[in-house]
Amino acid sequence: MFAILLSDKMDPFYQNIASFPTAIFTFFLVICLLYWLVAVLGFIDLDVLDFDIPDPDGRLGVNQTDLSTPDVLAGLMLKLGLYGVPVTIIVSFIALFGWFTCYFIVHFFFGLVPDGLLRYLAGLPVLLGTLYVAVMLTAIVIKPIRPFFKKASQNTVKEVLGQTAIVRSSKVNSSFGEVFLADGGAGLIFKARSTGDEVFNKGDRVVLLEYKEVENVYRVISEKEFLN
């Protein structure tokens, strides 16, 4: 197998995946593969790179008067149908579909384009068009699997409420913080908020008391208060 990969017959393949615009998707595809490899080995949590995407029921969960870059990106992903599954899966599908589409366009048609500036000029619309196709294909693929992730999320909420977690951020207050919950595996990380003016420091033991679906956060109280 390695002999085939290193043979001269593979040179056109390597040239295609390393040339513009395919190289852009090749880069992101390699990053995604490395991420999944590290995640499967248990060194990082599978949703470590995720951020909140608003749901389609009107509960955007963003500040409509002061939209930050993540808010705008989340709104765009919602509009394109890229919601309901972890962002890492979405990015992986986009990279995969984009790589395949771009590779075959370059393979069959770019031989007609002279090297140099003209190839880069021709590659730019191909890159944008391929990205659009990849996004549309990804939206189609993830649509039927959304219910599975929603059900898994609901089950997770039921299972973790009442359990003790450790504050992993510098603090947890009414507007900021994260906690770590040991689940026998790689562990789970949740966004957490305290009640009132109470502040927990890193390493404190807290209990997950309530899940706020709109904000996608857990309300926590100290373990001592919960046991009393």
Side-chain angles (χ1 to χ4, degrees), residues 1-11 14:
M1 179 178 178
F2 289 104
I4 296 175
L5 294 175
L6 297 175
S7 67
D8 294 339
K9 294 181 180 180
M10 294 295 294
D11 287 346
Y14 294 132

Coordinates of all heavy atoms in Angstrom, one line a residue, residues 1-11 14:
M1 N 0.8 -1.2 0.0 CA 0.0 0.0 0.0 C 0.9 1.2 0.0 O 0.6 2.2 -0.7 CB -0.9 0.0 1.2 CG -1.8 1.2 1.3 SD -3.0 1.1 2.7 CE -3.8 2.7 2.5
F2 N 1.9 1.3 0.9 CA 2.8 2.4 0.9 C 3.6 2.6 -0.4 O 3.9 3.7 -0.8 CB 3.7 2.3 2.1 CG 3.1 2.4 3.5 CD1 2.8 1.3 4.2 CD2 2.7 3.7 3.9 CE1 2.2 1.5 5.5 CE2 2.1 3.8 5.1 CZ 1.8 2.7 5.9
A3 N 3.8 1.5 -1.0 CA 4.5 1.6 -2.3 C 3.7 2.3 -3.3 O 4.2 3.1 -4.1 CB 4.9 0.2 -2.8
I4 N 2.4 2.0 -3.3 CA 1.5 2.7 -4.2 C 1.4 4.2 -3.9 O 1.4 5.1 -4.8 CB 0.0 2.1 -4.1 CG1 0.1 0.7 -4.6 CG2 -0.9 2.9 -5.0 CD1 -1.2 -0.1 -4.4
L5 N 1.3 4.6 -2.6 CA 1.3 6.0 -2.2 C 2.5 6.7 -2.6 O 2.5 7.9 -2.8 CB 1.0 6.1 -0.7 CG -0.3 5.5 -0.2 CD1 -0.4 5.6 1.3 CD2 -1.5 6.4 -0.8
L6 N 3.7 6.0 -2.7 CA 4.9 6.7 -3.0 C 5.3 6.6 -4.4 O 6.4 7.1 -4.8 CB 6.0 6.1 -2.1 CG 5.9 6.3 -0.6 CD1 7.0 5.6 0.2 CD2 5.9 7.8 -0.2
S7 N 4.5 5.9 -5.2 CA 4.8 5.7 -6.7 C 4.6 7.0 -7.5 O 3.9 7.9 -7.0 CB 4.0 4.6 -7.3 OG 2.6 5.0 -7.3
D8 N 5.3 7.1 -8.6 CA 5.2 8.2 -9.5 C 3.7 8.5 -10.0 O 3.4 9.6 -10.4 CB 6.1 8.1 -10.7 CG 7.6 8.1 -10.2 OD1 7.8 8.6 -9.1 OD2 8.4 7.6 -11.0
K9 N 2.9 7.4 -10.0 CA 1.6 7.5 -10.5 C 0.7 8.4 -9.6 O -0.3 8.9 -10.0 CB 0.9 6.1 -10.7 CG 1.6 5.2 -11.7 CD 0.9 3.9 -11.8 CE 1.6 3.0 -12.9 NZ 0.9 1.7 -13.0
M10 N 1.2 8.6 -8.4 CA 0.4 9.4 -7.4 C 0.7 10.8 -7.5 O 0.1 11.7 -6.8 CB 0.6 8.9 -6.0 CG 0.1 7.5 -5.7 SD -1.7 7.4 -5.8 CE -2.2 8.4 -4.5
D11 N 1.7 11.2 -8.3 CA 2.2 12.6 -8.4 C 1.1 13.5 -8.8 O 0.9 14.6 -8.2 CB 3.4 12.7 -9.3 CG 4.6 12.1 -8.7 OD1 4.7 11.9 -7.5 OD2 5.6 12.0 -9.5
Y14 N -1.2 14.2 -5.7 CA -0.5 15.1 -4.8 C -0.5 16.5 -5.3 O -0.6 17.5 -4.5 CB 0.9 14.6 -4.4 CG 0.9 13.3 -3.7 CD1 1.7 12.2 -4.1 CD2 0.0 13.0 -2.6 CE1 1.7 11.0 -3.4 CE2 0.0 11.8 -2.0 CZ 0.9 10.8 -2.4 OH 0.9 9.6 -1.7

